[in-house]
Amino acid sequence: MKHLKKLGYLLILAVAFSFTACEEDSELLFIDDTNSEITFTNSFLSEYILTFETSSNLGERFTWNTPNFELPTAISYDLQKSITGDFSDYEVVGSTTGNEVAITIGDMLDYANELGLDNDPDTEAPDTGTVSFRVRAYAGTDGVEVMSDPVALTLFLPQVSTGDNAVCEFDQLYGVGHGLSQTRWTWDN
């Protein structure tokens, strides 16, 4: 009976300790140490020549490094564009969980239209302008985010040629000889 009484006391003591251990709520603590940077890893052209004939071609493939958030979580990316350059008017061009987003020449033609570019030599509208891009990396909806430095791409719309001054490179070619008359070629035709 003494042993049973001691076992009862030990059981009551264990239950009392279990309640006191649960009085203090332990919170999961995330340390926001986002010293990691995100940068574009591809090289950009000095200018992008835009024509309607090539609108379905690849204009640029933006690639970037993976930042280290020091959290075991999936990272999402948004490629943003800005016509003004200060990103007060930014628009998300593409979202991904990978490390690249591609845009076509057709997309760039749309951006050139937003810039007010014109390839008509008779108007005062410019034929060259810049569009800025940056990438945003973030973990979760309320989580940590990192922005890359913006990069400005120069878009150029070449002037349309009317074809009035076309020069045939074969104007100086001619033939002589008896064989030409046999083929019914004459100087008149």
Side-chain angles (χ1 to χ4, degrees):
M1 197 63 157
K2 283 184 180 182
H3 295 293
L4 197 53
K5 202 177 206 184
K6 287 182 184 178
L7 187 61
Y9 288 130
L10 286 176
L11 185 60
I12 292 172
L13 189 60
V15 170
F17 278 125
S18 68
F19 284 125
T20 58
C22 293
E23 283 181 16
E24 184 180 324
D25 292 334
S26 61
E27 294 181 13
L28 189 57
L29 178 64
F30 287 102
I31 299 172
D32 184 11
D33 185 20
T34 57
N35 292 331
S36 180
E37 293 183 3
I38 184 167
T39 58
F40 289 108
T41 57
N42 57 311
S43 299
F44 298 103
L45 299 175
S46 60
E47 74 176 358
Y48 293 83
I49 300 172
L50 310 178
T51 62
F52 293 104
E53 294 81 19
T54 60
S55 62
S56 62
N57 292 359
L58 176 68
E60 184 60 69
R61 182 179 312 277
F62 294 91
T63 59
W64 51 83
N65 65 318
T66 302
N68 183 8
F69 287 137
E70 297 182 6
L71 300 173
T73 184
I75 301 174
S76 300
Y77 304 94
D78 290 339
L79 179 65
Q80 301 174 348
K81 101 171 150 62
S82 173
I83 298 297
T84 61
D86 62 1
F87 289 91
S88 62
D89 65 333
Y90 82 88
E91 177 183 324
V92 175
V93 174
S95 295
T96 183
T97 56
N99 289 71
E100 66 179 55
V101 170
I103 60 173
T104 64
I105 296 289
D107 295 330
M108 290 183 169
L109 283 168
D110 291 341
Y111 308 152
N113 187 36
E114 289 180 50
L115 282 167
L117 302 184
D118 187 353
N119 61 352
D120 186 359
D122 297 331
T123 63
E124 292 184 18
D127 57 4
T128 303
T130 58
V131 178
S132 297
F133 292 90
R134 71 180 179 189
V135 66
R136 172 184 172 240
Y138 57 96
T141 55
D142 298 330
V144 182
E145 73 174 21
V146 176
M147 296 282 188
S148 72
D149 290 333
V151 61
L153 303 185
T154 302
L155 308 181
F156 173 67
L157 293 174
Q159 294 181 0
V160 178
S161 173
T162 60
D164 294 340
N165 299 330
V167 176
C168 180
E169 60 186 65
F170 300 114
D171 284 345
Q172 289 78 23
L173 297 180
Y174 58 92
V176 290
H178 182 65
L180 293 176
S181 62
Q182 297 299 320
T183 59
R184 296 184 190 177
W185 290 351
T186 63
W187 293 112
D188 299 331
N189 63 3

